[in-house]
Amino acid sequence: MGYCSGRCTLIFICGMQLVCVLERQIFDFLGYQWAPILANFVHIIIVILGLFGTIQYRPRYITGYAVWLVLWVTWNVFIICFYLEAGDLSKETDLILTFNISMHRSWWMENGPGCTVTSVTPAPDWAPEDHRYITVSGCFLEYQYIEVAHSSLQIVLALAGFIYACYVVKCITEEEDSFDFIGGFDSYGYQGPQKTSHLQLQPMYMQIPLDNN
């Protein structure tokens, strides 16, 4: 019962991860955040493999899924540090998330709840011609905190998925070991005692006459 409950819980967690990361992927596409887009895509593939492994009782797939979750947590911790500007990171000047190929920011920067966008004209000389120079005000929640909330949710789901993935792998391994133990004698060519007949064979003696001639 516990194994079935853990397996069903892991399937639910994988489903929640897919829903949340797909929602996040949409907004990262809208904000041209290429590094998160790539990370989200890999995460989607790994979660699908982990879900397949859970349904089909494939411990190797689940193990790979658990290993990836460690990297996924690390990535989301970096995202949190980036938007909170921990250390030397700066969300305003660093273009890490766009691979330094554009000056786009998070989609939530201009489209957050209550945000008012005002275009500034004329634009500064340093501003690229294909970008508009704006100011954002009146936001109920700043965009960096929305991004931090997204990453925090991913970390919570990843930790839960890691715990249940390890539990399910442990249960599958123990179940396979128990089956091997029960059928192990057959694999080594063990044969049970054969049914013997109670009839015993007696030696026969024949007398051959000798020729007197």
Side-chain angles (χ1 to χ4, degrees):
M1 181 64 68
Y3 167 53
C4 180
S5 176
R7 181 168 164 265
C8 294
T9 303
L10 182 57
I11 292 174
F12 173 76
I13 292 174
C14 289
M16 288 294 298
Q17 285 180 316
L18 285 177
V19 172
C20 293
V21 75
L22 286 174
E23 177 266 341
R24 187 180 187 181
Q25 184 78 314
I26 292 173
F27 293 112
D28 285 338
F29 263 116
L30 294 174
Y32 301 97
Q33 304 296 291
W34 302 116
I37 288 171
L38 179 61
N40 293 338
F41 179 76
V42 175
H43 184 59
I44 291 172
I45 299 299
I46 300 298
V47 171
I48 292 175
L49 291 177
L51 184 61
F52 172 79
T54 304
I55 296 175
Q56 297 294 326
Y57 300 90
R58 303 291 181 86
R60 291 185 179 179
Y61 286 84
I62 305 176
T63 302
Y65 162 76
V67 172
W68 165 253
L69 290 181
V70 177
L71 302 177
W72 183 243
V73 169
T74 304
W75 167 252
N76 282 278
V77 169
F78 168 75
I79 294 295
I80 293 175
C81 293
F82 176 80
Y83 281 107
L84 295 181
E85 297 185 325
D88 295 331
L89 296 174
S90 174
K91 65 180 183 297
E92 301 297 337
T93 58
D94 291 337
L95 302 176
I96 301 173
L97 301 185
T98 60
F99 293 135
N100 293 321
I101 60 178
S102 71
M103 297 185 64
H104 289 92
R105 298 294 186 269
S106 170
W107 182 84
W108 296 103
M109 181 178 181
E110 302 179 26
N111 301 276
C115 291
T116 301
V117 179
T118 305
S119 298
V120 177
T121 54
D125 296 336
W126 53 266
E129 296 181 357
D130 58 342
H131 288 67
R132 58 176 180 155
Y133 192 70
I134 61 173
T135 59
V136 181
S137 60
C139 296
F140 297 139
L141 186 63
E142 296 293 336
Y143 74 96
Q144 63 266 27
Y145 299 118
I146 298 177
E147 294 288 357
V148 168
H150 274 93
S151 294
S152 300
L153 177 60
Q154 291 294 328
I155 290 175
V156 172
L157 291 175
L159 292 177
F162 179 83
I163 293 173
Y164 277 96
C166 293
Y167 174 72
V168 171
V169 169
K170 174 178 176 293
C171 292
I172 293 177
T173 304
E174 290 179 350
E175 187 175 350
E176 290 179 349
D177 290 342
S178 64
F179 282 137
D180 291 341
F181 177 78
I182 294 174
F185 295 109
D186 295 336
S187 61
Y188 287 97
Y190 174 79
Q191 296 181 355
Q194 301 293 329
K195 188 175 181 179
T196 58
S197 174
H198 294 287
L199 179 63
Q200 295 183 355
L201 298 179
Q202 299 293 335
M204 295 180 63
Y205 299 95
M206 295 180 63
Q207 185 176 6
I208 301 176
L210 298 177
D211 188 2
N212 294 328
N213 297 326

